[in-house]
Amino acid sequence: MTIKTTCAYCGTGCGVLATPTPEGVEIAGDTKHPANFGRLCSKGSALGETLIAEGRLLTPQIGDHSASWDDALDLVAQKFSQTIAEHGPNSVAFYVSGQLLTEDYYVANKLIKGYMGTANIDTNSRLCMASTVAGHKRAFGTDTVPGTYEDLEEADAIFLVGSNLAWCHPVLYQRIAAAKAARPHMKIVNIDPRRTATTDLADFHVQLASGSDVALFNHLLAQIAERGAVDQSFVDSHVNGFVDALEAAKQSDPSVTGLDAETLEAFVDLWINTEKTVTVFSQGVNQSTSGADKVNSILNCHLATGRIGRPGMGPFSVTGQPNAMGGREVGGLANMLAAHLDVENPDHRAGVQSFWNAPTMPEAPGLKAIDMFNAVESGEIKALWVMCTNPAQSLPEADRVRAAIEDCPFVVVSEMFGSTETAQAADVLLPATGWGEKTGTVTNSDRMMSRQRSIMAPLGESKHDWEIMCEVAKRMGWEDAFNFASPAEIFREHAALSGVAADFGKDFDITGLAEISDADYDALEPTRWPVSAKKTGGRFFADGAFYTPNGKANMLALTHRAPAQETSDEYPLRMNSGRVRDHWHTQTRTGMSARLTRHMGEPYLEVHPEDALKYGLKPAGMAKVSNQHGSAILRVLISDKTRPGTVFTPLHWTADTSSHGRINALVTANVDAVSGQPESKAAPVSVADFGAKWYGFAVCKSNLRPNADYWAKAKLPKGYQYELAGAEIPSDWEAYAKDMFGLENADISIVTGANAASCRVAFMVDGKIEAALFTSQSPVSIARTFVTDALDDDVPILAGRPSADQPDPGAIVCACFNVGVNTILNAIDENQLLSVDAIGEALDAGTNCGSCRPELSALLAQTNLSTAAE
Ligand code: SF4
C-alpha cells in the first residue's frame, strides 16, 4: 500500500509517496501535493535508503546502561520536579527542533510553559529563521508569510537574497527554473556574496559584500522614491513610518556593498520596473547580527510599492527546516506563546492559561538558544531536555556548548541515534521515533499544513516525542492535561486554541479543524492556513490590513551595520557556512545513503585564488582554519566563486564523520539583538596550510576511526571510504594499515612508491577486497568511483583505476543514476551535447530529481568555454 507523507528535510515541504516493498521502501514524489507536484530532490528521493536500523538507539539508557521506560521516565520526572522545587522553574529548559512534528511541539510548549511554569523553551529554528519572525512581527504585527509558492511562478522577476535555492530548496529552484523556461522573459537575480549553483539560473549575480544587504535595500528604497515608484495610496492608507524609513535609506551609503555602479543600476532598474516582483530570502539574510534589519529592509521596499500579497509579488521567506513554521504556530520559541500569541501580553497569557486550565504561566520570555546554553554553562540551568537535535554540534562555539552540556547536572536527550555529541553527554537517553515512524503534521514555507504519516512500526522500544513528554507530565502530576491518546487529539486541541488567538485578532486561525474527526485527520490533504469561517488559505495583506495596533504595516528606519566581529590581522578572513546539495544538517539521516554521500565525501574550504596564494594553500591540499573558539582541518577548494577575503565551508560534518570538520566550533556566538539569531556566516578566521606530509584514500567494509591526523568518512554501498592526511609519514605502511583496518590475518598485497609517502595496500579475505589504502605525498589521484565500487569484489585494485579498456566515470554528479563527471564530459564532447536536456537524453543524468541540473549546466558552460578557447 502506498502511503502519502511529507519529506523529512527542508521547508519546501514536498509530498512523498512511500510504498513498502519486501526490499525496502520505494519513494516517489506526490504528483498531487501542491508544494512539489511530483518532484523530489536527491535528498527526498533517497529517503527510503535511510530507513535502516544502523546506529539507532533502541532502548532507554540511564548513564551507560539500558533501562526500562518506567525507570527512565520516573527519573526524568523526579529530576525535573526536584529541580523546579529547589531552584525554581527557570532552572529547567527544553531545547527542541524544527524537525519535531507540530503535535510534538504543541505538547512541549504546553508542558513547559503552562505546567512547569517557564518559557525556557527554544529550538534549533532559532538558528534558521528567528530574524524573519522578528522582521515579520515588526512590520506586519504578526509572523506571517504573505504569499504562496504560486507567486514564484507568476512573478516576472525573482530576487533570491542569501539563498542557494538550487541546493537548499531544490524543488522550489526547479519550480522557478520550469517557470522561467515556460516564460523566458522572467528574470532571476541572485544576490549573494558567493557564486553558487543557484547563480547558474540567474540573469545576473549581485555579488555584494558579506552582510551589506541593508545598505543594498536602503539604496533600493531611496531609488524607489527618487524614481517616483512609491505606491502613495497604499502607503498613505496602510503604512506607518514611511518618511523616517526613507530618510534613513537616503542616508545609507551603497558603496559598502562593494558593488560597481553598473550592477547597482541593473538591480535597481529591474526591481523598480517589474511590478510582479518576489524577493525570496533565506539564511544569508537571517543568520546575521543585523538579520532582523535585513528582513525589514526587504519588507520596506515591498511596502513602499504596495507589492505584497498579490499574485506574483511579495517578500518570501523560505525556511530551512521541515517544520520551522509549525513550531512558530505552537509557540516553540522562547518569546512566543501558542498560536502566535505573545508571552509578554497579560491578556494573551490569561487566555492561554485559561484554555489549558494551567496552574501557571511565565510572565516573561524565556532564554533564547544562545542565552540558554550560556545559562547551562553558568549553572543557572540545572536540568535540560534536548529533543531531536544536536546542539553540541550545531550551535556556535560548539566546543564550549558541548562542554557546558557535559557539565550540566541533569541532561535528558530524546533521540533516534545514541552517537550524537549531545546524546553522548546525556544522563538519560530516550529512544525517539523518526521520519517513517512518526505521524502528525508539519507546516511548510507557504503555510501549507501536511501530514507526515508512519510507514513502519517504531524500531526497538522507541516512542513518539509527544508520548514521551505526556508520560513525564503524568508522572509530574498533570495526568488530565496530558492524557492525549493520539496526534489527532493533540491537533484538535491546537486548532481549538487558535480560536483564542483569533479572538485577540490574530491571523493564525485553524478553528475550522478544531473538531476534525480521527478519520478526517488521517485523510487530511495539504491545507494552507488559515482555516476558519472567516478565511481559508490564500494570501495575506493585499487588502492593506495588518495586525499592528492601528492596522497599518510598519516601515522601519534602518542603518547598515557590519558583522559584529571585525576581521583582524590575526583573523583576516570571514568564514561563511552553509549546506551542500545532498546532505542535511549533521548527516544522521543523509549520511546513511551511499548514493548521497557520493556527491560530497568530505568537508571543504572554498577559498578565492588570491587568498589561496596569499596564505600558501594548494589545490586539494589541507587547510587549517582557526580562531579563538576552535579549529578545523578542511580540504582546499580554490575557486573564484567566493569573494576575496571570504571563505565558505559546509556545516554537515561531525566528530563522528570527520576528525576536524566541526566548523560550528569556529562560529562566533554573536546574536542579533532583536531576534537572538546567531551570526553563522561571518566568523573571522585565519587559514594556513596544514602541512600534510602524506595524503591518503582508503576503503574498508568496516566502520572505523582512522589513526590519521585528518580523516573524513563517507558511507559506501558495501562499506566506507576515508579521506586521510597526516603531518608525519608512518615508518611502516604495512603495520600502519593493519592497525587502521584491524586486519591482522587478511591476505595483503602492497606496493611502495618512489618516496616514503607513497604506498598502496590491499587486504583480501576469501579472495575479495576487504580494505585498501592509497597514499601519496600529494593529494591522492586515483579513480575513486572505481576503487569504491571494487570493495568486496575480486578485481585488481592496486592500480587505483580501471584497466585501459574500461572508462573511469569520475566523481558522481547525478546521484540518482550514478553518473560521474568524466562520463558526462565525454558524452558532451563525443555527442556534441548542447543542453542539460540533451545530457539527460544521452545519460539519464538530471532526469529524475533534477538536483544535479545546475552542475550539468556548469559542465556544459565549462565545455563550451574550453571549446571557444581552442
Ligand atoms: Fe525534501 Fe528536497 Fe522537497 Fe526539500 S526540496 S522537502 S529536501 S524533497
Side-chain angles (χ1 to χ4, degrees), residues 311-361:
M313 61 185 89
F316 208 122
S317 146
V318 286
T319 47
Q321 303 219 71
N323 199 29
M325 293 282 276
R328 283 145 84 162
E329 289 149 18
V330 300
L333 292 163
N335 49 328
M336 296 165 74
L337 270 183
H340 287 190
L341 293 169
D342 299 315
V343 176
E344 285 135 308
N345 184 314
D347 294 335
H348 291 184
R349 289 200 305 269
V352 175
Q353 184 167 6
S354 160
F355 179 88
W356 280 340
N357 196 20
T360 180
M361 190 63 70

CSV table of all heavy atoms in Angstrom, one decimal, residues 311-361:
chain,number,residue,atom,x,y,z
A,311,PRO,N,-0.9,38.3,-6.5
A,311,PRO,CA,-0.3,37.2,-7.3
A,311,PRO,C,1.0,37.7,-7.9
A,311,PRO,O,1.1,38.7,-8.5
A,311,PRO,CB,-1.3,36.9,-8.3
A,311,PRO,CG,-2.6,37.3,-7.7
A,311,PRO,CD,-2.3,38.5,-6.8
A,312,GLY,N,2.1,36.9,-7.7
A,312,GLY,CA,3.4,37.1,-8.3
A,312,GLY,C,4.2,38.2,-7.7
A,312,GLY,O,5.2,38.7,-8.2
A,313,MET,N,3.8,38.7,-6.5
A,313,MET,CA,4.6,39.7,-5.8
A,313,MET,C,4.6,39.6,-4.3
A,313,MET,O,3.6,39.2,-3.7
A,313,MET,CB,4.2,41.1,-6.3
A,313,MET,CG,2.8,41.5,-6.0
A,313,MET,SD,2.4,43.1,-6.8
A,313,MET,CE,1.8,42.6,-8.4
A,314,GLY,N,5.7,40.0,-3.7
A,314,GLY,CA,5.8,40.0,-2.3
A,314,GLY,C,7.1,39.5,-1.7
A,314,GLY,O,7.9,38.9,-2.5
A,315,PRO,N,7.4,39.8,-0.5
A,315,PRO,CA,8.6,39.2,0.2
A,315,PRO,C,8.3,37.8,0.5
A,315,PRO,O,7.2,37.4,0.8
A,315,PRO,CB,8.7,40.1,1.4
A,315,PRO,CG,7.4,40.5,1.7
A,315,PRO,CD,6.6,40.6,0.5
A,316,PHE,N,9.3,36.9,0.4
A,316,PHE,CA,9.0,35.5,0.6
A,316,PHE,C,10.2,34.8,1.4
A,316,PHE,O,11.3,34.6,0.8
A,316,PHE,CB,8.9,34.8,-0.7
A,316,PHE,CG,8.0,33.5,-0.6
A,316,PHE,CD1,6.8,33.5,-1.4
A,316,PHE,CD2,8.3,32.5,0.2
A,316,PHE,CE1,6.0,32.3,-1.3
A,316,PHE,CE2,7.5,31.4,0.3
A,316,PHE,CZ,6.3,31.3,-0.5
A,317,SER,N,10.0,34.5,2.7
A,317,SER,CA,11.0,33.8,3.5
A,317,SER,C,10.9,32.3,3.2
A,317,SER,O,9.7,31.8,3.3
A,317,SER,CB,10.7,34.1,5.0
A,317,SER,OG,11.0,33.0,5.7
A,318,VAL,N,12.0,31.7,2.9
A,318,VAL,CA,11.9,30.2,2.8
A,318,VAL,C,12.7,29.6,4.0
A,318,VAL,O,13.8,30.0,4.3
A,318,VAL,CB,12.5,29.7,1.5
A,318,VAL,CG1,11.5,30.0,0.4
A,318,VAL,CG2,13.8,30.2,1.1
A,319,THR,N,12.0,28.7,4.7
A,319,THR,CA,12.5,28.2,5.9
A,319,THR,C,13.4,27.0,5.7
A,319,THR,O,13.2,26.2,4.7
A,319,THR,CB,11.4,27.8,6.9
A,319,THR,OG1,10.5,27.0,6.2
A,319,THR,CG2,10.8,29.0,7.5
A,320,GLY,N,14.4,26.8,6.5
A,320,GLY,CA,15.4,25.7,6.3
A,320,GLY,C,14.8,24.4,6.7
A,320,GLY,O,15.2,23.3,6.1
A,321,GLN,N,14.0,24.3,7.7
A,321,GLN,CA,13.6,23.1,8.3
A,321,GLN,C,12.2,22.6,8.0
A,321,GLN,O,11.4,23.5,7.7
A,321,GLN,CB,13.7,23.2,9.8
A,321,GLN,CG,15.1,23.7,10.3
A,321,GLN,CD,15.5,23.0,11.5
A,321,GLN,OE1,15.7,21.8,11.5
A,321,GLN,NE2,15.5,23.7,12.6
A,322,PRO,N,11.9,21.3,8.1
A,322,PRO,CA,10.6,20.8,7.6
A,322,PRO,C,9.5,21.4,8.4
A,322,PRO,O,8.4,21.5,7.9
A,322,PRO,CB,10.7,19.3,7.8
A,322,PRO,CG,11.8,19.1,8.8
A,322,PRO,CD,12.8,20.2,8.6
A,323,ASN,N,9.7,21.7,9.7
A,323,ASN,CA,8.5,22.2,10.5
A,323,ASN,C,8.9,23.4,11.3
A,323,ASN,O,8.4,23.6,12.4
A,323,ASN,CB,8.0,21.1,11.4
A,323,ASN,CG,6.6,21.4,11.8
A,323,ASN,OD1,5.8,22.0,11.1
A,323,ASN,ND2,6.2,20.9,13.0
A,324,ALA,N,9.8,24.2,10.8
A,324,ALA,CA,10.1,25.5,11.5
A,324,ALA,C,8.8,26.3,11.6
A,324,ALA,O,8.5,26.9,12.6
A,324,ALA,CB,11.1,26.3,10.7
A,325,MET,N,8.0,26.3,10.6
A,325,MET,CA,6.7,27.0,10.6
A,325,MET,C,5.7,26.5,11.6
A,325,MET,O,5.1,27.2,12.4
A,325,MET,CB,6.1,27.0,9.2
A,325,MET,CG,6.9,27.8,8.2
A,325,MET,SD,6.7,29.6,8.3
A,325,MET,CE,5.2,29.8,7.4
A,326,GLY,N,5.6,25.1,11.7
A,326,GLY,CA,4.7,24.5,12.7
A,326,GLY,C,5.2,24.9,14.1
A,326,GLY,O,4.3,25.2,15.0
A,327,GLY,N,6.5,24.9,14.3
A,327,GLY,CA,7.0,25.3,15.6
A,327,GLY,C,6.6,26.8,16.0
A,327,GLY,O,6.2,27.1,17.1
A,328,ARG,N,6.6,27.6,15.0
A,328,ARG,CA,6.2,29.0,15.2
A,328,ARG,C,4.7,29.1,15.6
A,328,ARG,O,4.3,29.9,16.4
A,328,ARG,CB,6.5,29.9,13.9
A,328,ARG,CG,7.9,30.2,13.7
A,328,ARG,CD,8.3,30.2,12.3
A,328,ARG,NE,8.0,31.5,11.6
A,328,ARG,CZ,8.6,31.8,10.4
A,328,ARG,NH1,9.5,31.0,9.9
A,328,ARG,NH2,8.3,32.9,9.8
A,329,GLU,N,3.9,28.2,15.0
A,329,GLU,CA,2.5,28.2,15.2
A,329,GLU,C,2.1,27.8,16.6
A,329,GLU,O,1.1,28.2,17.1
A,329,GLU,CB,1.8,27.3,14.2
A,329,GLU,CG,1.8,27.9,12.8
A,329,GLU,CD,1.9,26.9,11.7
A,329,GLU,OE1,1.5,25.7,11.9
A,329,GLU,OE2,2.3,27.3,10.6
A,330,VAL,N,2.9,26.9,17.3
A,330,VAL,CA,2.5,26.5,18.6
A,330,VAL,C,3.3,27.2,19.7
A,330,VAL,O,3.2,26.8,20.9
A,330,VAL,CB,2.7,24.9,18.8
A,330,VAL,CG1,1.8,24.2,17.8
A,330,VAL,CG2,4.1,24.5,18.6
A,331,GLY,N,4.2,28.1,19.3
A,331,GLY,CA,4.9,28.9,20.3
A,331,GLY,C,6.2,28.2,20.7
A,331,GLY,O,6.6,28.2,21.9
A,332,GLY,N,6.9,27.5,19.8
A,332,GLY,CA,8.1,26.8,20.1
A,332,GLY,C,9.3,27.6,20.4
A,332,GLY,O,10.3,27.1,20.7
A,333,LEU,N,9.1,29.0,20.2
A,333,LEU,CA,10.3,29.8,20.6
A,333,LEU,C,10.0,30.5,21.9
A,333,LEU,O,8.9,30.7,22.4
A,333,LEU,CB,10.4,30.9,19.5
A,333,LEU,CG,10.8,30.4,18.1
A,333,LEU,CD1,10.5,31.5,17.0
A,333,LEU,CD2,12.3,30.1,18.1
A,334,ALA,N,11.2,30.8,22.6
A,334,ALA,CA,11.1,31.3,24.0
A,334,ALA,C,10.3,32.6,24.1
A,334,ALA,O,9.9,32.9,25.2
A,334,ALA,CB,12.6,31.5,24.5
A,335,ASN,N,10.2,33.3,23.1
A,335,ASN,CA,9.5,34.6,23.2
A,335,ASN,C,8.1,34.6,22.6
A,335,ASN,O,7.5,35.7,22.4
A,335,ASN,CB,10.3,35.7,22.5
A,335,ASN,CG,10.8,35.3,21.1
A,335,ASN,OD1,11.0,34.2,20.8
A,335,ASN,ND2,10.9,36.3,20.2
A,336,MET,N,7.5,33.4,22.4
A,336,MET,CA,6.2,33.3,21.9
A,336,MET,C,5.3,32.4,22.7
A,336,MET,O,5.8,31.5,23.4
A,336,MET,CB,6.2,32.7,20.4
A,336,MET,CG,7.0,33.6,19.4
A,336,MET,SD,7.4,32.6,18.0
A,336,MET,CE,5.8,32.5,17.2
A,337,LEU,N,4.0,32.7,22.7
A,337,LEU,CA,3.0,31.8,23.3
A,337,LEU,C,2.5,30.9,22.1
A,337,LEU,O,2.9,31.1,21.0
A,337,LEU,CB,1.9,32.5,23.9
A,337,LEU,CG,2.1,32.9,25.4
A,337,LEU,CD1,0.8,33.5,25.9
A,337,LEU,CD2,2.3,31.6,26.3
A,338,ALA,N,1.5,30.1,22.4
A,338,ALA,CA,0.9,29.3,21.3
A,338,ALA,C,0.1,30.2,20.4
A,338,ALA,O,-0.3,31.3,20.7
A,338,ALA,CB,0.0,28.2,21.9
A,339,ALA,N,0.0,29.8,19.1
A,339,ALA,CA,-0.9,30.4,18.2
A,339,ALA,C,-0.6,31.9,17.9
A,339,ALA,O,-1.4,32.7,17.8
A,339,ALA,CB,-2.4,30.2,18.6
A,340,HIS,N,0.7,32.1,17.8
A,340,HIS,CA,1.2,33.5,17.5
A,340,HIS,C,0.9,34.5,18.6
A,340,HIS,O,0.9,35.7,18.4
A,340,HIS,CB,0.7,34.0,16.2
A,340,HIS,CG,1.3,33.3,15.0
A,340,HIS,ND1,1.1,33.7,13.7
A,340,HIS,CD2,2.1,32.2,14.9
A,340,HIS,CE1,1.8,32.9,12.8
A,340,HIS,NE2,2.4,32.0,13.6
A,341,LEU,N,0.5,34.1,19.8
A,341,LEU,CA,0.3,35.0,20.9
A,341,LEU,C,1.6,35.3,21.6
A,341,LEU,O,2.6,34.6,21.4
A,341,LEU,CB,-0.7,34.4,21.9
A,341,LEU,CG,-2.2,34.2,21.3
A,341,LEU,CD1,-3.0,33.4,22.2
A,341,LEU,CD2,-2.8,35.6,21.0
A,342,ASP,N,1.6,36.4,22.4
A,342,ASP,CA,2.8,36.9,22.9
A,342,ASP,C,2.9,36.6,24.4
A,342,ASP,O,2.0,36.9,25.2
A,342,ASP,CB,2.9,38.4,22.7
A,342,ASP,CG,2.9,38.8,21.3
A,342,ASP,OD1,3.6,38.1,20.5
A,342,ASP,OD2,2.1,39.7,20.9
A,343,VAL,N,4.1,36.1,24.9
A,343,VAL,CA,4.3,35.9,26.3
A,343,VAL,C,4.1,37.1,27.1
A,343,VAL,O,3.6,37.1,28.2
A,343,VAL,CB,5.7,35.3,26.5
A,343,VAL,CG1,6.0,35.1,28.0
A,343,VAL,CG2,5.9,34.0,25.7
A,344,GLU,N,4.6,38.3,26.6
A,344,GLU,CA,4.6,39.5,27.4
A,344,GLU,C,3.2,40.1,27.6
A,344,GLU,O,3.0,41.0,28.4
A,344,GLU,CB,5.5,40.5,26.8
A,344,GLU,CG,7.0,40.2,27.0
A,344,GLU,CD,7.8,40.4,25.7
A,344,GLU,OE1,7.4,39.8,24.7
A,344,GLU,OE2,8.8,41.0,25.8
A,345,ASN,N,2.2,39.7,26.8
A,345,ASN,CA,0.9,40.3,26.8
A,345,ASN,C,0.1,39.6,27.9
A,345,ASN,O,-0.3,38.4,27.8
A,345,ASN,CB,0.2,40.2,25.4
A,345,ASN,CG,-1.1,40.9,25.4
A,345,ASN,OD1,-1.9,40.7,26.3
A,345,ASN,ND2,-1.3,41.6,24.3
A,346,PRO,N,-0.3,40.3,29.0
A,346,PRO,CA,-1.0,39.6,30.1
A,346,PRO,C,-2.4,39.0,29.6
A,346,PRO,O,-2.8,38.0,30.1
A,346,PRO,CB,-1.2,40.7,31.1
A,346,PRO,CG,-0.7,42.0,30.5
A,346,PRO,CD,0.0,41.7,29.3
A,347,ASP,N,-3.0,39.7,28.7
A,347,ASP,CA,-4.3,39.1,28.2
A,347,ASP,C,-4.1,37.8,27.5
A,347,ASP,O,-4.9,36.9,27.6
A,347,ASP,CB,-5.0,40.2,27.3
A,347,ASP,CG,-5.4,41.4,28.1
A,347,ASP,OD1,-5.6,41.3,29.3
A,347,ASP,OD2,-5.5,42.5,27.5
A,348,HIS,N,-3.1,37.8,26.6
A,348,HIS,CA,-2.7,36.6,25.9
A,348,HIS,C,-2.4,35.5,26.9
A,348,HIS,O,-2.9,34.3,26.7
A,348,HIS,CB,-1.6,36.8,25.0
A,348,HIS,CG,-1.9,37.7,23.8
A,348,HIS,ND1,-1.0,38.0,22.8
A,348,HIS,CD2,-3.0,38.4,23.5
A,348,HIS,CE1,-1.5,38.8,21.9
A,348,HIS,NE2,-2.7,39.1,22.3
A,349,ARG,N,-1.6,35.8,27.9
A,349,ARG,CA,-1.2,34.8,28.9
A,349,ARG,C,-2.4,34.2,29.6
A,349,ARG,O,-2.6,33.0,29.7
A,349,ARG,CB,-0.2,35.4,29.9
A,349,ARG,CG,1.1,35.7,29.4
A,349,ARG,CD,2.1,35.8,30.6
A,349,ARG,NE,1.7,36.8,31.6
A,349,ARG,CZ,2.1,38.0,31.6
A,349,ARG,NH1,2.8,38.5,30.6
A,349,ARG,NH2,1.7,38.8,32.6
A,350,ALA,N,-3.3,35.2,30.0
A,350,ALA,CA,-4.5,34.7,30.7
A,350,ALA,C,-5.4,33.8,29.8
A,350,ALA,O,-6.0,32.8,30.2
A,350,ALA,CB,-5.3,35.9,31.2
A,351,GLY,N,-5.5,34.2,28.5
A,351,GLY,CA,-6.3,33.5,27.6
A,351,GLY,C,-5.8,32.0,27.4
A,351,GLY,O,-6.6,31.1,27.4
A,352,VAL,N,-4.5,31.9,27.2
A,352,VAL,CA,-3.9,30.6,27.0
A,352,VAL,C,-4.0,29.8,28.3
A,352,VAL,O,-4.3,28.6,28.3
A,352,VAL,CB,-2.5,30.7,26.5
A,352,VAL,CG1,-1.8,29.3,26.4
A,352,VAL,CG2,-2.4,31.4,25.2
A,353,GLN,N,-3.7,30.4,29.5
A,353,GLN,CA,-3.7,29.7,30.8
A,353,GLN,C,-5.1,29.2,31.0
A,353,GLN,O,-5.3,28.0,31.5
A,353,GLN,CB,-3.3,30.7,31.9
A,353,GLN,CG,-3.2,30.0,33.2
A,353,GLN,CD,-2.5,30.8,34.3
A,353,GLN,OE1,-2.1,31.9,34.1
A,353,GLN,NE2,-2.3,30.2,35.4
A,354,SER,N,-6.1,30.0,30.7
A,354,SER,CA,-7.5,29.6,30.9
A,354,SER,C,-7.8,28.4,30.0
A,354,SER,O,-8.4,27.4,30.4
A,354,SER,CB,-8.4,30.8,30.7
A,354,SER,OG,-9.7,30.4,30.5
A,355,PHE,N,-7.4,28.5,28.8
A,355,PHE,CA,-7.7,27.4,27.8
A,355,PHE,C,-7.1,26.1,28.3
A,355,PHE,O,-7.7,25.1,28.2
A,355,PHE,CB,-7.2,27.8,26.4
A,355,PHE,CG,-7.4,26.8,25.4
A,355,PHE,CD1,-8.6,26.7,24.6
A,355,PHE,CD2,-6.5,25.8,25.1
A,355,PHE,CE1,-8.9,25.8,23.7
A,355,PHE,CE2,-6.7,24.8,24.2
A,355,PHE,CZ,-7.9,24.8,23.4
A,356,TRP,N,-5.9,26.2,28.7
A,356,TRP,CA,-5.2,25.0,29.2
A,356,TRP,C,-5.6,24.6,30.6
A,356,TRP,O,-5.2,23.5,31.1
A,356,TRP,CB,-3.7,25.2,29.2
A,356,TRP,CG,-3.0,25.1,27.8
A,356,TRP,CD1,-3.5,24.5,26.7
A,356,TRP,CD2,-1.7,25.6,27.5
A,356,TRP,NE1,-2.6,24.6,25.7
A,356,TRP,CE2,-1.5,25.3,26.1
A,356,TRP,CE3,-0.7,26.3,28.1
A,356,TRP,CZ2,-0.3,25.6,25.4
A,356,TRP,CZ3,0.4,26.7,27.4
A,356,TRP,CH2,0.6,26.3,26.1
A,357,ASN,N,-6.3,25.5,31.3
A,357,ASN,CA,-6.6,25.2,32.7
A,357,ASN,C,-5.3,25.0,33.4
A,357,ASN,O,-5.1,24.1,34.2
A,357,ASN,CB,-7.5,24.1,32.9
A,357,ASN,CG,-8.1,24.0,34.2
A,357,ASN,OD1,-8.1,25.0,34.9
A,357,ASN,ND2,-8.6,22.8,34.7
A,358,ALA,N,-4.3,25.8,33.1
A,358,ALA,CA,-2.9,25.5,33.5
A,358,ALA,C,-2.7,26.2,34.9
A,358,ALA,O,-3.2,27.3,35.2
A,358,ALA,CB,-1.9,26.1,32.5
A,359,PRO,N,-1.9,25.6,35.7
A,359,PRO,CA,-1.6,26.1,37.1
A,359,PRO,C,-0.7,27.4,37.0
A,359,PRO,O,-0.7,28.1,38.0
A,359,PRO,CB,-0.9,25.0,37.8
A,359,PRO,CG,-0.2,24.2,36.7
A,359,PRO,CD,-1.2,24.3,35.5
A,360,THR,N,0.0,27.6,36.0
A,360,THR,CA,1.0,28.7,36.0
A,360,THR,C,1.2,29.2,34.6
A,360,THR,O,0.7,28.5,33.6
A,360,THR,CB,2.3,28.2,36.6
A,360,THR,OG1,3.2,29.2,36.6
A,360,THR,CG2,2.9,27.0,35.8
A,361,MET,N,1.9,30.3,34.4
A,361,MET,CA,2.2,30.8,33.1
A,361,MET,C,3.4,31.8,33.3
A,361,MET,O,3.3,32.7,34.1
A,361,MET,CB,1.0,31.4,32.5
A,361,MET,CG,1.1,31.8,31.0
A,361,MET,SD,1.3,30.4,29.9
A,361,MET,CE,-0.3,29.6,30.0
